[in-house]
Amino acid sequence: MTAADVLLAALGAVALGAGLLVVTTRHVVRAGLWLVVTLGAVAGLYLVLSAELLAWVQVLLYVGAVVVLLLFAVMLTRAPIGASDDLDRVRWPGALIGAGAGAGLVALFADAFHWSRVGLPAPGTAEAIGGAVFRTWVLPFELVSVLLLAALVGAIVVSRPDISAGPRSDSRPDPRGR
Amino acid sequence: MSLAPYVPILGLFALAAGFALFSVAAAPFVGPRRFNKAKLDAYECGIEPTPQPVGGGRFPVKFYLTAMLFIVFDIEIIFLYPWAVNFGMLGVFGFVEMVLFIVTVFVAFAYVWRRGGLDWD
């Protein structure tokens, strides 16, 4: 066991434990906060696996932005501060899907690598990833901008029908109608 | 990649956590306890606390749009970093790539702006 193995096992345990708490807690807001721990531990896993840029993207985007959006979504819907009894519906379909996906992934990896020791690839530094994205994967990169455009326009259309339909905001008759 | 550069960061994390734990643990023993109404009030960034819509109440959907804007431009900024690191190597081609990318994302921004999505009331 090397230091990296110990770190991987510890971070994996943290991610797994926090992930369990995400789905078992009765507080929606706490589930969101446990998700921060899970995603942070996954960022640590990336770091140990020498995917340096990916680790910090995980911290900035998932821990920083996606969880904020999740908590905003909770605030927007019912603001359930405190425990909710109706968080869990029927447990077994979720457990079945989760266990199935997990077992499938384990089987896939076991089959692909046959328990052999795989060396770490070249470090995922900003130089390496930047070179790959901006020279080899140019079209997917430009498509990402279209995806972002669609996401933002979609968010407006879904969340603000008052401003996305009809004439521009300058000629809106009643601003209190939002 | 060697994780050696992260050892000082880990040390800083430990120091910060230790400071936080020490402060919280030591405060009840060393701090004077002279309570008044203002001290016992909920803290809301220094402004007068207002009743919150707890249970049943909803927050304005404008917050959601702000969060979406934040995420979209967060992702855009993330791409700028590996691009900037490789800027010299990529040359004019890389510059045109990034201009196209930013212009496309800013179309969304212009849409939000012209539709009045950035007006708060």
Side-chain angles (χ1 to χ4, degrees):
Chain A
M1 288 261 284
T2 61
D5 289 340
V6 176
L7 272 174
L8 277 182
L11 286 167
V14 170
L16 214 64
L20 267 176
L21 284 165
V22 170
V23 292
T24 51
T25 180
R26 287 195 174 282
H27 298 65
V28 176
V29 177
R30 283 186 199 171
L33 295 177
W34 280 116
L35 195 61
V36 171
V37 180
T38 311
L39 296 173
V42 171
L45 288 176
Y46 289 152
L47 201 59
V48 177
L49 291 171
S50 79
E52 199 177 12
L53 183 70
L54 190 62
W56 293 113
V57 167
Q58 168 89 3
V59 170
L60 284 172
L61 283 186
Y62 281 86
V63 180
V66 170
V67 171
V68 168
L69 189 70
L70 262 171
L71 292 178
F72 269 28
V74 169
M75 280 162 55
L76 291 170
T77 46
R78 277 188 313 168
I81 295 169
S84 342
D85 288 325
D86 56 349
L87 272 187
D88 295 322
R89 296 290 161 87
V90 196
R91 280 166 183 262
W92 65 267
L96 203 67
I97 293 170
L105 276 176
V106 168
L108 194 72
F109 280 116
D111 183 55
F113 297 107
H114 296 292
W115 304 107
S116 58
R117 203 174 173 82
V118 182
L120 284 179
T125 56
E127 288 92 348
I129 290 187
V133 167
F134 296 107
R135 298 178 98 173
T136 317
W137 306 103
V138 178
L139 193 61
F141 166 68
E142 296 295 342
L143 278 177
V144 167
S145 66
V146 180
L147 180 69
L148 292 177
L149 171 70
L152 201 49
V153 173
I156 297 164
V157 170
V158 169
S159 69
R160 303 283 304 272
D162 53 322
I163 60 165
S164 58
R168 271 213 334 253
S169 57
D170 312 353
S171 53
R172 194 177 51 246
D174 182 16
R176 287 166 303 167
R178 291 186 179 181
Chain B
M1 187 193 78
S2 149
L3 285 176
Y6 286 97
V7 173
I9 297 179
L10 218 63
L12 203 61
F13 277 0
L15 210 64
F19 176 73
L21 284 176
F22 170 78
S23 305
V24 171
F29 299 105
V30 295
R33 295 172 196 221
R34 290 185 292 270
F35 296 117
N36 57 39
K37 190 177 174 298
K39 274 189 189 176
L40 292 171
D41 252 357
Y43 182 70
E44 283 185 11
C45 306
I47 56 170
E48 289 282 313
T50 46
Q52 291 293 305
V54 176
R58 283 183 175 186
F59 283 74
V61 78
K62 280 170 278 202
F63 287 105
Y64 179 75
L65 198 57
T66 311
M68 273 306 283
L69 269 171
F70 168 58
I71 288 198
V72 164
F73 285 98
D74 208 17
I75 294 170
E76 188 194 329
I77 298 292
I78 290 280
F79 276 108
L80 281 176
Y81 179 63
W83 174 75
V85 169
N86 288 298
F87 184 70
M89 182 194 76
L90 292 164
V92 180
F93 179 66
F95 182 71
V96 173
E97 260 185 290
M98 190 45 85
V99 166
L100 272 176
F101 181 78
I102 290 178
V103 163
T104 314
V105 179
F106 264 79
V107 168
F109 183 64
Y111 176 76
V112 179
W113 188 7
R114 292 307 294 159
R115 283 290 179 180
L118 301 178
D119 304 336
W120 201 251
D121 43 28

